[in-house]
């Protein structure tokens, strides 16, 4: 979700990485121990107009709530203003598996995402899933290093990824990141972060901008004129090298 996003035509590096993964098998990490999965539910809720990537949304806490254990992000238009929600975990997390079981919305000009970033400074960033609303058959997973060099993987689903729950995740090892959808590895990025770097969990739906383009009337053609991103499970499983 940072300012420079790969386009679907720029997946050569990702394709080579995926081919290497198939040929060599899943890379083995160092001997280590795993902690118990932790549920992430302590958030900073963003409030204000967002302009990165030429986006159009205004984030408001009114668009964020829980239904039981499910985090809900509402996105809608009121007059000429687009409202949406965005949350960022209060805590930073280290090596381990970052997992989101999410029901993503479709819709022209929407970009729902479940991801993680250092935030201060912004990079690095690891995107567990981004879906361009008018292209619901493809999910993108992207690694942005500290210089914003990017490696992107994608996975297609002829039935579409939106309006159904799927689990999007990445596992951050000391020397690489494995991306997965519904438990199947989609790609591996070999990358070492600087000491002390951690990640905030982030959930949001962007409106408009450089990648998805602008919404139109069809975007809001629902029973209540809104689209919803729902995340029923957000967990972190720590890894100790």
């Amino acid at each position: 979700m940072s300012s420079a996003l790969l386009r679907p035509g720029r997946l050569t590096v990702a394709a080579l990485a995926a081919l290497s993964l198939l040929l060599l098998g899943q890379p083995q990490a160092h001997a280590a121990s795993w902690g118990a999965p932790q549920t992430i539910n302590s958030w900073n809720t963003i409030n204000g107009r967002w302009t990165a990537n030429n986006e159009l949304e205004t984030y408001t806490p009114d668009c964020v709530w829980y239904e039981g254990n499910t985090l809900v992000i509402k996105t809608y238009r009121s007059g000429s203003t687009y409202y949406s929600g965005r949350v960022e975990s209060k805590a930073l997390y280290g090596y381990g598996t970052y997992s989101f079981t999410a029901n993503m919305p479709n819709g022209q000009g929407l970009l729902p995402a479940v991801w993680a970033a250092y935030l201060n400074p912004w990079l690095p960033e690891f995107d567990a899933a981004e879906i361009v609303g008018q292209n619901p058959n493809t999910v993108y997973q992207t690694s942005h290093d500290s210089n914003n060099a990017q490696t992107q993987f994608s996975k297609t689903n002829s039935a579409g990824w939106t309006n159904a729950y799927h689990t999007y995740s990445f596992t951050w090892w000391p020397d690489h990141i494995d991306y997965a959808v519904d438990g199947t590895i989609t790609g591996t990025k070999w990358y070492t972060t600087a000491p002390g770097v951690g990640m905030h969990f982030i959930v949001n739906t962007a409106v408009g901008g450089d990648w998805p383009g602008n919404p139109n009337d069809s975007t809001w053609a629902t029973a209540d004129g809104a689209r919803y991103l729902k995340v029923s499970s957000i967990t972190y499983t720590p890894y100790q090298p």
Side-chain angles (χ1 to χ4, degrees):
M1 291 294 293
S2 59
S3 58
L5 288 165
L6 288 177
R7 300 298 185 266
R10 296 170 58 189
L11 299 179
T12 303
V13 173
L16 291 174
L19 178 60
S20 298
L21 183 62
L22 290 172
L23 294 175
L24 300 177
Q26 182 178 350
Q28 298 300 307
H30 315 289
S33 62
W34 289 89
Q38 306 170 19
T39 297
I40 307 302
N41 55 18
S42 180
W43 305 103
N44 291 317
T45 303
I46 304 305
N47 187 15
R49 177 76 170 85
W50 199 267
T51 58
N53 310 316
N54 294 311
E55 294 169 20
L56 303 175
E57 72 275 5
T58 295
Y59 289 124
T60 171
D62 292 342
C63 284
V64 179
W65 66 86
Y66 273 90
E67 294 178 355
N69 294 322
T70 298
L71 175 68
V72 180
I73 302 287
K74 178 180 179 179
T75 305
Y76 70 102
R77 179 182 65 189
S78 179
S80 60
T81 303
Y82 302 97
Y83 291 101
S84 191
R86 175 184 171 118
V87 295
E88 302 169 352
S89 67
K90 292 183 178 180
L92 282 167
Y93 299 87
Y95 299 132
T97 297
Y98 295 62
S99 180
F100 306 79
T101 300
N103 185 327
M104 302 283 223
N106 64 308
Q108 167 68 40
L110 299 184
L111 188 66
V114 289
W115 53 299
Y118 189 24
L119 292 183
N120 189 25
W122 187 281
L123 297 167
E125 171 189 330
F126 307 140
D127 302 315
E130 295 175 287
I131 295 178
V132 177
Q134 62 267 33
N135 184 21
N137 292 353
T138 304
V139 60
Y140 298 98
Q141 299 176 297
T142 310
S143 174
H144 303 249
D145 70 15
S146 56
N147 296 313
N148 206 27
Q150 299 168 51
T151 302
Q152 188 175 78
F153 306 95
S154 66
K155 185 174 178 65
T156 59
N157 178 2
S158 60
W161 294 109
T162 59
N163 302 308
Y165 280 98
H166 295 278
T167 298
Y168 308 101
S169 63
F170 63 85
T171 298
W172 178 23
W173 307 90
D175 55 5
H176 70 279
I177 302 105
D178 289 328
Y179 290 89
V181 175
D182 291 334
T184 299
I185 291 181
T186 54
T188 294
K189 170 61 179 177
W190 293 90
Y191 174 58
T192 301
T193 53
V197 171
M199 293 285 139
H200 291 276
F201 282 74
I202 305 170
V203 179
N204 74 295
T205 298
V207 180
D210 299 332
W211 196 4
N214 291 338
N216 57 29
D217 288 344
S218 71
T219 308
W220 320 111
T222 64
D224 66 351
R227 301 283 179 166
Y228 297 89
L229 166 56
K230 298 183 178 182
V231 193
S232 63
S233 176
I234 306 173
T235 61
Y236 166 69
T237 305
Y239 166 87
Q240 300 296 329

